Amino acid sequence: MQNSSPLERPPEYHIVVRPKDFIRSLSLLSERSVSQGSIHGEPSETHLPDPIILPPKESRITKTVVTGTRDVLSAKYESLDYDVCENKVLLEEVRTSTKDFRARKLVSRWFIFLLIGIVTAMVAVIVDISIDKLAIIKYGIIKDALDKCVTEDCLFEPYLIWMGLNMGFVLIGSFMVAFIEPVAAGSGIPQVKCYLNGVKIPRLVRFKTLFVKAAGVVCTVVGGLTGGKEGPMIHAGSVIAAGISQGKSTSIRTDFRVFQYFREDHEKRDFVSGGAAAGVAAAFGAPIGGVLFSLEEGSSFWNQSLTWRIFFASSVSVFSLNLMLSIYNGVPGQLTFYGLLNFGHFDTLNYELFELILYMIMGAIGGVLGSFFIHVNYKLIVFRMRYIRVRWLKVVEACLVAAVTATVGMIMVYLVNDCRPLGTDPTEHPIQMYCGDGEYNAVAALWLQNPEASVKALFHDEPGSQSAQTLIVFTLSYLALSIWTYGISVSAGIFIPCLLAGAGWGRLTGKLLGHIFPDASWIDPGKYALVGAAAQLGGVVRMTISLTIILIEATGNINFGLPLMITLMTAKWVGDYFTEAFYDLHIQLQGVPLLPWEPPAMSIELNALQVMNYPVLAFAPIESLRTIVQALSSETYNGFPIVDATTNHPLSKAKDGLPTIGKLRGLILRSQLIVLVQHRAYVETGYSNEGSHLPLAEFRNSYPRYCEIKDIYIPEEEMDYTVDLRPYMNPSPYTVSDTTSLPRIFRLFRALGLRHLVVTTDTNEVVGMLTRKDIARYRDKAHGSIGVDELYWSDKL
Amino acid sequence: MAFWTRSILLFVCCLPFLSADDISGMTVQDDTCMDMLKDFANLSAAFTFCAVSHARPILICQECVSSYLSVVEVYDDITKLESTAGHKCESELVNLDRLQVFNQGYNYIKKLWENAHCDNCFVKDRATGKPTTQLTDLVMEILNASSVYEACVKKYHNATAKPDLAVCENCIGNYKTINDIYVKNKGTIEFCMDVVDLMNNTRNEWSGDLGCCNDRRKPEITMILIASGVGVLPFIFYALTYFLTPKKVHAVIERKRWNGESNGVSKSPEIHITPPENTED
């Protein structure tokens, strides 16, 4: 090899930026920026310097930001290593692998997708049955107490029982979420979306999270909160996929010693996309919807062969769920239980052409209501992030929500006397309240059952099942409660509350139309409830094709696809005019550096030079252990370029005023360095490019949680040893030239799922490094103005 | 749609009855089978007549059970008996044309009977499992209780008063008896339509026409007090957290960037980037 050992060179010519020089270079840079006045240059259009927007030197003073803002990205999130590191040890492994091994890998990949489908369905069934059983007991107790007390002036007794049961379950659920696994809060869809798009969310796919999520969602739904179990199923599917494909769990400290060859970010992420799809499929009985969900939400990089495997997992999931539920319901083999939530069978879903205009109007209403939902919820979440940070306060808040939910239900049952004849008893627990004998209270029927059953009731009940007054009061209170509920420390999804509120006002619309056109045969309140539900949901989550297909599959009627699509499209357009989509807003609030579908419109004027990290901390191909340890301890970088000697001084203006640090040889990751140090793979102990190498299996065994450098004990006498990085580095990392525009870099990152991108000059000398964080910080200006916003970074958020 | 189907069926099954004279004019191939078909026509017509005439109040099960049983009997004969060895009547009557009058007529009767759950009101024959004309004890009990109640209402009823306090006071015991029997058994068995309708009418009369059921609402002061207390709690909670929790701020990390002027090839137009001015939102 070339004269690459740093020890042989004269000391005044540093080829590699060592930590000491690195700090020196920083100070030089800040001096330079002082002389320059502004980091950002001046506005090109107006040529008017703006002293407020362009603070001259305060940028060096440490700024602070308040918690709960969308303009700050959190530094704790890291990218996945989706790009496979093609180093020498990998090549050696590939060369020695047999045909059998490749076949086994292929078969086990399909086998894992099969298992993902089955286990996801199993978890869904367990959650469903637990909710079912507990809910029957709960509503039975409340009904008995209500029936007993209604004529004896002691309604406070059933009220207190109702409230107590709600609070008890929610207490358990929120306690688990707040104290055991906070990442299990909410629906989990935003986090899964981030993961699928290449951002690692800590603890997202751990077994412990799955447990808290599943138990938590049972508590939420049985506790009567306005939340569904559908969103959490998607998260649960993702965890199951990650768990099965890795063949080990850190939470229960077990390594099954299977599927070791899948222990890398690339494979894991692909399996997780299948798990998310299986979760959607189990939740809605929508296998195609599941695939499209993974494609739409997680497909900034995607492999076509994955589509087919994911569809397999989804179909298996729907089938297994169906089979298990049929056994539970005592009719084994009668496969009519599609999904946890299905909209039931609509006899007729015909529509006249002119109704499409009505659907568009309803879509627009859904967009407006959805934006209202998002905006108020956003304000609440910001408040919570700022003022409700202590864990026990979160638990108290959740219990308060549970208490108020029970109160609202009870007061409505008490005040609204909407009596319906019992007939064939559409509800399981008909409550008479102040109705005559042989009648039941329609409000109590809506409150005292699981929200899924209420959605179905609004879709399918006879046209006269609820009075307009009931529907108005119910919809408004449910909407308000669900806005308040999302974001408290429980695991609950957003689908059901949106569907239920939407079905409420949709049915009301149907009733109103029936009032205006009494003879029209096309008016069916159930149909309008479905359109309203779709509009409301579309206005909040703003998903496009996947949501349409999910709804079509849950409805089981392909003919109604066009009306649903038109409704959802209008809802999305109208909603997008007012606010950001619900999940994206939550992602922004959490400060996740997620790359959107398109680069910011005006970012074409930015280039790699302005965006990149500088100066770069690099290593020589054979590096001393002391340098490595110092670098790892002092910096948080995860990728280090490996550069060769040049005759340039690192801080000299090597090319057009651009200091470079040497010719690019490769790229090595922090995790690889940690494993190397951990296993003492030094040149002095016999590990070198020509000698023996640390096998790839050792790297896989440490995956996915590597230890910190400070946790590794290194004797002082070993500090002067050297490590040969060449067998482990990626010899051909992706690079861009220093003039590349931001949109090009953006697309490279998105399409390839990159983590690091080296910026080089035309002589292939390293000048800077780009990571996802450097790109995600540019965002289109909010409403009305043209330009690019640059976000802050903060370490603790 | 359902209405039309029913009307057509009604029409179809009444057809043999309305035009009974014409049947003799048909070319008779096998007398036994055709005789049985004629029997079936007459019996089904009789059942339909009985059913429709007892539609309001519903007494189909009690009044038409004998004619239903005879329809079933002759139908079974037709489908099972052989007029000559190896030659079933069924093969001459069923599956010969697309109208299927014989089957349609029978299905209509069967469906009506089943929809009304009439079998549940009658004691089942141990040997065959078919219903007999004997009402079950439970139904008898309800019917007896009902007639006691009816008698009571008749005795005290004053058409001008509402609520009819005399009836309410004197008959509440009888009303409760019948209501309790019904409520107690409703979960375990599916009552036949006669009983369900009887109960619906009784209850409507009691709560509606007589107005005896309107004093259920109570003031419930305790509940309203608790509820308002719970309603206020969140506001107190949020106010307290707002005033007591210290504001938390995070340090902004400065990214290390290249700030130097880059001449020549690397030069790019300067653009205006503003840091987000308002992080307070």
Side-chain angles (χ1 to χ4, degrees), chain A residues 729-761:
Chain A
M729 71 182 187
N730 186 353
S732 52
Y734 290 101
T735 58
V736 287
S737 102
D738 51 6
T739 50
T740 316
S741 74
L742 183 64
R744 286 184 84 78
I745 300 167
F746 185 99
R747 295 204 172 92
L748 256 182
F749 258 90
R750 254 187 75 88
L752 297 172
L754 293 184
R755 184 172 187 181
H756 298 105
L757 196 55
V758 186
V759 183
T760 57
T761 62

Side-chain angles (χ1 to χ4, degrees), chain A residues 587-601:
Chain A
I587 290 169
Q588 287 176 5
L589 276 174
Q590 284 166 12
V592 184
L594 183 78
L595 299 182
W597 284 2
E598 294 290 335

Side-chain angles (χ1 to χ4, degrees), chain A residues 119-427:
Chain A
V119 177
T120 306
M122 254 162 64
V123 171
V125 168
I126 291 170
V127 167
D128 194 45
I129 294 178
S130 320
I131 290 177
D132 209 38
K133 292 281 180 205
L134 288 171
I136 288 176
I137 298 172
K138 176 190 157 188
Y139 295 133
I141 292 173
I142 295 172
K143 178 187 154 56
D144 289 346
L146 271 175
D147 285 349
K148 186 172 78 69
C149 265
V150 70
T151 49
E152 304 187 6
D153 196 11
C154 63
L155 267 188
F156 66 91
E157 279 178 23
Y159 168 51
L160 286 180
I161 292 173
W162 188 348
M163 198 159 70
L165 284 171
N166 272 14
M167 287 172 74
F169 280 110
V170 171
L171 178 71
I172 301 170
S174 67
F175 183 84
M176 280 197 297
V177 171
F179 285 89
I180 300 178
E181 196 49 88
V183 83
S187 78
I189 293 179
Q191 289 91 335
V192 170
K193 182 177 171 177
C194 293
Y195 185 87
L196 291 180
N197 282 301
V199 182
K200 196 180 288 174
I201 308 285
R203 304 187 315 282
L204 178 72
V205 290
R206 295 180 69 168
F207 183 77
K208 194 164 87 175
T209 314
L210 173 65
F211 174 77
V212 173
K213 195 101 200 179
V217 81
V218 172
C219 291
T220 308
V221 179
V222 179
L225 290 184
T226 57
K229 54 184 185 274
E230 280 67 24
M233 275 321 302
I234 297 165
H235 185 180
S238 310
V239 183
I240 290 163
I244 291 177
S245 65
Q246 301 300 297
K248 68 171 181 179
S249 163
T250 319
S251 296
I252 51 173
R253 294 201 182 79
T254 323
D255 188 342
F256 298 99
R257 307 213 166 276
V258 287
F259 309 138
Q260 279 115 331
Y261 34 86
F262 291 137
R263 289 181 189 171
E264 54 179 356
D265 277 349
H266 184 103
E267 298 283 357
K268 192 171 168 182
R269 180 263 177 193
D270 284 359
F271 283 119
V272 168
S273 65
V280 176
F284 301 99
I288 304 171
V291 175
L292 289 175
F293 173 83
S294 277
L295 248 171
E296 182 179 344
E297 296 295 319
S299 66
S300 57
F301 36 91
W302 192 263
N303 186 328
Q304 272 83 354
S305 67
L306 198 55
T307 320
W308 186 229
R309 285 199 289 267
I310 287 179
F311 183 63
F312 174 67
S314 308
S315 301
V316 168
S317 166
V318 172
F319 174 78
S320 321
L321 181 93
N322 212 329
L323 192 67
M324 283 185 260
L325 280 184
S326 74
I327 293 167
Y328 168 65
N329 285 294
V331 278
Q334 185 190 318
L335 303 177
T336 50
F337 302 91
Y338 308 105
L340 299 181
L341 168 77
N342 64 72
F343 296 161
H345 177 70
F346 285 87
D347 282 333
T348 50
L349 266 181
N350 303 327
Y351 59 96
E352 307 277 335
L353 205 56
F354 63 86
E355 278 187 88
L356 292 180
I357 296 167
L358 289 175
Y359 299 153
M360 283 173 80
I361 295 169
M362 286 177 78
I365 297 172
V368 172
L369 280 177
S371 303
F372 173 76
F373 183 108
I374 293 171
H375 185 74
V376 180
N377 186 256
Y378 162 69
K379 291 283 174 198
L380 270 168
I381 303 257
V382 169
F383 182 89
R384 284 175 184 141
M385 287 174 87
R386 288 187 186 161
Y387 300 106
I388 307 178
R389 296 194 303 266
V390 190
R391 289 174 175 188
W392 65 266
L393 274 180
K394 293 182 180 183
V395 177
V396 171
E397 192 196 11
C399 289
L400 274 177
V401 176
V404 172
T405 309
T407 308
V408 171
M410 188 68 211
I411 293 293
M412 271 183 66
V413 171
Y414 174 70
L415 290 181
V416 183
N417 207 25
D418 182 6
C419 297
R420 302 288 145 181
L422 269 173
T424 49
D425 290 6
T427 65

Side-chain angles (χ1 to χ4, degrees), chain A residues 399-583:
Chain A
C399 289
L400 274 177
V401 176
V404 172
T405 309
T407 308
V408 171
M410 188 68 211
I411 293 293
M412 271 183 66
V413 171
Y414 174 70
L415 290 181
V416 183
N417 207 25
D418 182 6
C419 297
R420 302 288 145 181
L422 269 173
T424 49
D425 290 6
T427 65
E428 210 153 312
H429 305 285
I431 310 276
Q432 189 179 351
M433 286 304 288
Y434 303 123
C435 298
D437 284 348
E439 291 178 322
Y440 71 96
N441 187 310
V443 184
L446 284 177
W447 279 105
L448 287 176
Q449 65 186 355
N450 284 335
E452 280 92 351
S454 299
V455 173
K456 264 188 167 175
L458 290 177
F459 285 168
H460 296 295
D461 278 0
E462 293 297 310
S465 291
Q466 297 90 11
S467 69
Q469 186 200 13
T470 307
L471 285 175
I472 293 173
V473 179
F474 180 77
T475 306
L476 284 181
S477 56
Y478 208 87
L479 192 66
L481 281 174
S482 51
I483 292 174
W484 187 29
T485 304
Y486 195 86
I488 59 171
S489 169
V490 294
S491 29
I494 196 72
F495 277 74
I496 286 291
C498 286
L499 285 173
L500 194 46
W505 65 258
R507 202 178 166 88
L508 197 67
T509 315
K511 263 180 118 67
L512 191 74
L513 286 171
H515 195 68
I516 301 171
F517 309 104
D519 299 325
S521 62
W522 45 269
I523 294 170
D524 168 19
K527 182 173 71 178
Y528 280 88
L530 175 64
V531 174
Q536 178 77 32
L537 187 58
V540 173
V541 302
R542 312 266 173 82
M543 298 197 297
T544 53
I545 177 155
S546 55
L547 187 61
T548 314
I549 300 296
I550 286 172
L551 291 180
I552 288 176
E553 284 185 285
T555 319
N557 190 319
I558 194 84
N559 294 330
F560 210 59
L562 180 76
L564 283 177
M565 194 196 85
I566 288 175
T567 314
L568 287 172
M569 205 152 71
T570 342
K572 181 176 162 60
W573 284 343
V574 172
D576 280 346
Y577 179 77
F578 292 110
T579 61
E580 199 84 27
F582 186 71
Y583 295 138

Side-chain angles (χ1 to χ4, degrees), chain A residues 663-679:
Chain A
K663 230 175 194 117
L664 179 67
R665 289 289 309 277
L667 182 81
I668 197 150
L669 297 172
R670 168 182 286 260
S671 59
Q672 291 172 316
L673 290 172
I674 297 265
V675 174
L676 287 175
V677 173
Q678 230 176 345
H679 289 83

Side-chain angles (χ1 to χ4, degrees), chain B residues 207-250:
Chain B
S207 324
D209 302 342
L210 298 173
C212 291
C213 200
N214 291 334
D215 59 340
R216 291 171 68 87
R217 191 176 283 273
K218 297 285 188 304
E220 310 289 357
I221 303 291
T222 330
M223 187 192 81
I224 290 168
L225 281 178
I226 301 174
S228 17
V230 173
V232 175
L233 272 181
F235 295 101
I236 300 173
F237 174 78
Y238 285 125
L240 281 179
T241 49
Y242 181 78
F243 288 115
L244 296 183
T245 310
K247 261 201 174 175
K248 198 172 174 186
V249 290
H250 296 295

